[in-house]
Amino acid sequence: MAIGAKKVLSLLVHLHVALLFLPEPGGAAVYNVVRYGARADGAGDSTQPFLRAWADACRSSSSPATVYVPPGRYLVGHVTFVGPCGSRGVTFYNAGTVVAPAGYGWDGATTGRWITFESVQGLTVSGGTLDGRGEALWACKQKQKQQPRGHCPTGASSLTISNSRDVVVDGVTSVSSELFHVVVIQCRGVTVRRVTVEAPADSPNTDGIHIHKSMNVAVYDAKIRTGDDCVSVGPGNSNLWIERVACGPGHGISIGSLGKQQGMAVEAVQNVTVKTTWFTGTTNGLRIKTWGSSKLGYVRGVTFSDSTMSGVDNPIIIDQNYCPDGGCGGGGGGGVKRSSGSGIKISDVKYVNVRGSSSTPVAVSFDCSRSNPCSGITLRDVRLTYQSSMQVARSSCRNARGTASGLVVPPSCL
């Protein structure tokens, strides 16, 4: 009987191992990271097992192939999953929690990235939680503000999709990233949907979703609570669609900043739609920001529509004298210094059906470049009050030209 039991146990073990690689219906091969030695206890380093599982899935000639992360906690250091892949589609399906190394100053801090997918076509990143464990670095940066002689690394963005095409990021939760939570850079055809971002309101530089030098990118159904922009649009982007995003706390949805010499001859953003958004207790709502520098570029063809503001400091704002830390030259006071003008031309920007409350008296602010005024600004059916008591808010315009139609409250200054 004992011998029979051992044989049965051995058969079960071999069956379990075989199941780790069984194709799904339709021919998909599954590569389970546990089979490659990943540990689900959150203690053992699972970086290499993750890489080996990816390498086999990427080399697979089957269509599609799936890297599977079972429930559990997996400690993973700086890692780059590189394509192109042999299969016509690779899915990275996470049913667990992937955690970054504790503390800061590990190798991700020098590269600026924690988990990266590079040069992959037909990629899906689905489910699970990424825990960037950024608390130690945030504390360092807060201390550095009080004692400028100290030094803290920049930190690592949690999930980066780089130089890839036809990508879907679906149902991913990112918590406590050291730096940006989700980054899309130099990509074409990316959809980010049902993403949740969680970080404290005072966590520095923790943008929720950052898009850079990409085209045909869509963001849907995101819930973002963070210490910086909920969605940030950097230079070199075109054809973006952002819809159904709940933001707060955070710094709003921002185009920019542009004009800070980011290695491009012309810093341009065009054809952007931001639709059906909610802002709660954020420092900004719908923002365009550029530095007051001579760097050339433009922002054009932007539509912000169907937005709800609740206690937002700056519900609608264009700031072409962006200088958060001061020292940018010119006059002025506070954190923003007045400049001679920005080389970024802003035109054809529409605000349609924006409603709710501002926590400051100025609900609409267009502070545009003296040498390069904003043009083609449109306000239609905008109703913003000062605080929840229905006090009268006001608008402020500097070097801005445009039109207003429908009910516009506060009255337009264009």
Side-chain angles (χ1 to χ4, degrees):
M1 290 295 292
I3 295 176
K6 288 181 180 179
K7 287 184 177 180
V8 170
L9 180 60
S10 177
L11 286 170
L12 288 173
V13 170
H14 283 85
L15 178 60
H16 174 70
V17 172
L19 285 172
L20 293 172
F21 293 98
L22 273 181
E24 294 178 343
V30 178
Y31 298 83
N32 189 323
V33 297
V34 172
R35 174 65 179 84
Y36 291 84
R39 291 176 54 180
D41 58 5
D45 187 351
S46 295
T47 306
Q48 291 305 315
F50 271 57
L51 284 169
R52 289 193 293 267
W54 171 263
D56 283 354
C58 189
R59 282 195 297 262
S60 172
S61 59
S62 64
S63 178
T66 297
V67 175
Y68 175 56
V69 181
R73 289 177 63 84
Y74 301 86
L75 176 63
V76 173
H78 167 63
V79 62
T80 301
F81 301 113
V82 182
C85 295
S87 59
R88 286 183 289 173
V90 179
T91 295
F92 186 95
Y93 179 67
N94 179 14
T97 297
V98 181
V99 298
Y104 61 88
W106 48 284
D107 53 0
T110 59
T111 63
R113 299 178 180 181
W114 175 27
I115 297 171
T116 302
F117 291 87
E118 175 81 33
S119 302
V120 187
Q121 184 170 1
L123 168 71
T124 298
V125 180
S126 180
T129 298
L130 305 178
D131 184 352
R133 300 170 82 175
E135 293 86 353
L137 181 59
W138 305 337
C140 177
K141 289 182 176 180
Q142 293 294 344
K143 185 176 180 180
Q144 188 177 27
K145 281 186 177 181
Q146 301 167 4
Q147 301 176 359
R149 289 175 295 179
H151 173 71
C152 307
T154 302
S157 295
S158 285
L159 175 62
T160 300
I161 310 297
S162 174
N163 193 34
S164 297
R165 301 183 61 172
D166 305 327
V167 176
V168 175
V169 178
D170 182 28
V172 173
T173 296
S174 176
V175 300
S176 301
S177 179
E178 284 191 339
L179 201 61
F180 299 171
H181 287 260
V182 178
V183 176
V184 177
I185 182 169
Q186 294 181 314
C187 291
R188 177 175 297 190
V190 177
T191 298
V192 180
R193 64 191 184 209
R194 300 189 303 127
V195 163
T196 299
V197 167
E198 290 283 348
D202 61 352
S203 57
N205 307 119
T206 52
D207 292 29
I209 300 169
H210 179 69
I211 308 168
H212 196 91
K213 294 183 181 179
S214 297
M215 65 184 303
N216 303 332
V217 177
V219 177
Y220 298 104
D221 302 308
K223 297 178 180 179
I224 301 174
R225 298 170 54 85
T226 193
D228 211 300
D229 294 330
C230 290
V231 180
S232 56
V233 176
N237 288 302
S238 63
N239 303 332
L240 309 185
W241 189 280
I242 300 165
E243 185 173 3
R244 297 188 301 275
V245 174
C247 173
H251 293 184
I253 294 178
S254 297
I255 294 176
S257 62
L258 306 182
K260 199 184 178 183
Q261 311 297 331
Q262 299 189 53
M264 304 172 67
V266 176
E267 295 190 6
V269 174
Q270 61 183 338
N271 300 335
V272 179
T273 297
V274 178
K275 181 179 181 182
T276 314
T277 49
W278 302 268
F279 301 88
T280 304
T282 54
T283 56
N284 305 286
L286 307 169
R287 175 167 66 161
I288 300 174
K289 54 180 176 175
T290 76
W291 292 78
S293 72
S294 61
K295 181 71 177 182
L296 298 178
Y298 57 83
V299 176
R300 65 191 183 204
V302 177
T303 298
F304 298 110
S305 67
D306 303 321
S307 294
T308 302
M309 310 285 171
S310 180
V312 174
D313 292 352
N314 303 292
I316 293 175
I317 180 170
I318 294 177
D319 181 4
Q320 291 211 261
N321 296 284
Y322 180 70
C323 183
D325 299 317
C328 297
V336 177
K337 300 291 186 180
R338 185 66 50 197
S339 69
S340 60
S342 171
I344 307 296
K345 174 63 177 177
I346 297 175
S347 63
D348 187 20
V349 180
K350 299 179 176 65
Y351 301 89
V352 181
N353 192 26
V354 181
R355 58 204 175 274
S357 63
S358 171
S359 63
T360 63
V362 179
V364 178
S365 176
F366 298 131
D367 185 9
C368 298
S369 168
R370 183 170 58 189
S371 61
N372 217 1
C374 299
S375 62
I377 308 299
T378 300
L379 295 171
R380 186 168 79 243
D381 298 327
V382 173
R383 181 172 175 78
L384 294 166
T385 60
Y386 173 36
Q387 300 180 339
S388 58
S389 59
M390 305 297 288
Q391 297 181 60
V392 176
R394 58 188 176 90
S395 299
S396 174
C397 289
R398 185 192 299 265
N399 308 313
R401 303 165 185 166
T403 60
S405 62
L407 177 65
V408 175
V409 177
S412 171
C413 57
L414 292 170

